[in-house]
Amino acid sequence: MARWMTIVDVERLLHVPKATIQRWIREGNLPCTEHKGKFFFDCETLLSWARSKQIHVEQTVRKSRRVNNLKVSSYDDLLNAMRRGGLLQLKELHSKTSLIRNACNYLPFPVDVRERVIDQITQRETLSSTDLGNGIAIPHPRIPMKLELEESLIVSIFLEKPLDYGAQDEIPVFFLFLLLSKDSSEHLQFLSQIARILNQPAIPVLLRKSPDLEQLIKRFEKILAK
């Protein structure tokens, strides 16, 4: 079960005022989900996000709240989304803009939908970089449900020539997970699961070896099944 936090919990955890948290939500910079007019935050995702942005986190995390009726995806949903998205190995040297367009051109959508995806991801990156550090990024639209997808998908992308992505740790990005979710709850859950996986020290090493999709899925499944 995901551990859900409220804005009050986030204030205590990050030592930032409520107004700042609300601004981050409006700008699409803070991963959260809305339920009955209130915002909730997955604890693991929030901690990973704070570390990537080099934000101080209170050492003692209060017991998080359980919120009824918030959908929690199994890890099978994540792995199936990865299978639907597939794996790209790009050899060309890209700018961030050309990378987004090139990757989205492989999406199994009509041209007009692909253009909407490109536009939304570009807007999201303009607001704030989606890098997670260690050469890894998760580009995604700011508001997932606007694409009205029937199924979520995740495109795994390996770059033979790493890209200066404007990362906080200044490490060029070499691996990306292009995340397109059918709804905000699944989006947040996928971010949480990917954050859990990427916290394993061996994962960046694996990604640098350019694994094929099944190798990647098997390793992810092993971590999530623990």
Side-chain angles (χ1 to χ4, degrees):
M1 174 66 68
R3 298 178 298 163
W4 298 103
M5 305 179 70
T6 66
I7 285 182
V8 173
D9 297 324
V10 177
E11 284 184 87
R12 293 169 177 161
L13 182 67
L14 303 184
H15 297 288
V16 296
K18 182 177 181 180
T20 299
I21 296 170
Q22 291 173 327
R23 175 170 57 81
W24 285 343
I25 293 172
R26 288 195 305 272
E27 294 174 347
N29 291 336
L30 185 61
C32 66
T33 191
E34 188 176 359
H35 181 65
K36 295 183 179 180
K38 296 182 179 180
F39 291 99
F40 295 93
F41 310 81
D42 176 80
C43 183
E44 190 170 355
T45 303
L46 183 67
L47 292 173
S48 179
W49 175 86
R51 285 193 293 269
S52 74
K53 301 300 181 184
Q54 300 181 348
I55 298 175
H56 172 75
V57 175
E58 178 61 48
Q59 293 300 313
T60 302
V61 180
R62 294 174 180 265
K63 184 178 180 180
S64 304
R65 309 181 185 194
R66 178 171 179 167
V67 183
N68 294 327
N69 301 322
L70 280 177
K71 179 180 180 290
V72 177
S73 303
S74 72
Y75 63 78
D76 285 336
D77 294 328
L78 176 76
L79 303 182
N80 287 334
M82 292 176 66
R83 290 189 178 97
R84 283 192 291 271
L87 173 68
L88 298 179
Q89 294 180 320
L90 302 181
K91 298 180 179 181
E92 303 87 355
L93 181 63
H94 287 282
S95 66
K96 185 184 289 190
T97 301
S98 68
L99 170 62
I100 292 170
R101 177 164 290 278
N102 194 347
C104 289
N105 283 338
Y106 288 93
L107 294 174
F109 302 147
V111 173
D112 63 322
V113 177
R114 291 203 301 266
E115 288 298 323
R116 287 166 56 199
V117 173
I118 292 169
D119 183 57
Q120 290 192 30
I121 292 179
T122 301
Q123 288 182 26
R124 175 66 181 83
E125 292 294 341
T126 299
L127 286 170
S128 177
S129 175
T130 56
D131 75 277
L132 295 181
N134 292 318
I136 302 168
I138 307 183
H140 57 269
R142 187 169 68 89
I143 307 176
M145 70 287 297
K146 279 192 174 183
L147 291 173
E148 299 178 350
L149 302 179
E150 293 185 2
E151 293 184 306
S152 301
L153 62 81
I154 300 171
V155 184
S156 304
I157 306 169
F158 174 78
L159 302 180
E160 287 194 6
K161 298 179 180 178
L163 167 66
D164 182 358
Y165 208 78
Q168 292 273 350
D169 60 6
E170 299 183 349
I171 297 176
V173 164
F174 69 93
F175 208 101
L176 305 94
F177 298 96
L178 174 58
L179 174 57
L180 300 174
S181 307
K182 65 181 181 181
D183 58 54
S184 57
S185 294
E186 191 158 270
H187 178 77
L188 188 62
Q189 189 67 24
F190 285 171
L191 285 175
S192 173
Q193 290 170 334
I194 293 172
R196 176 183 168 190
I197 291 165
L198 297 181
N199 279 335
Q200 303 293 314
I203 291 301
V205 177
L206 170 68
L207 296 180
R208 286 191 179 276
K209 295 179 180 179
S210 184
D212 63 36
L213 185 60
E214 283 308 311
Q215 288 175 321
L216 200 59
I217 287 174
K218 285 180 181 178
R219 179 64 69 88
F220 281 22
E221 183 176 21
K222 184 177 180 180
I223 294 170
L224 293 172
K226 292 180 181 179

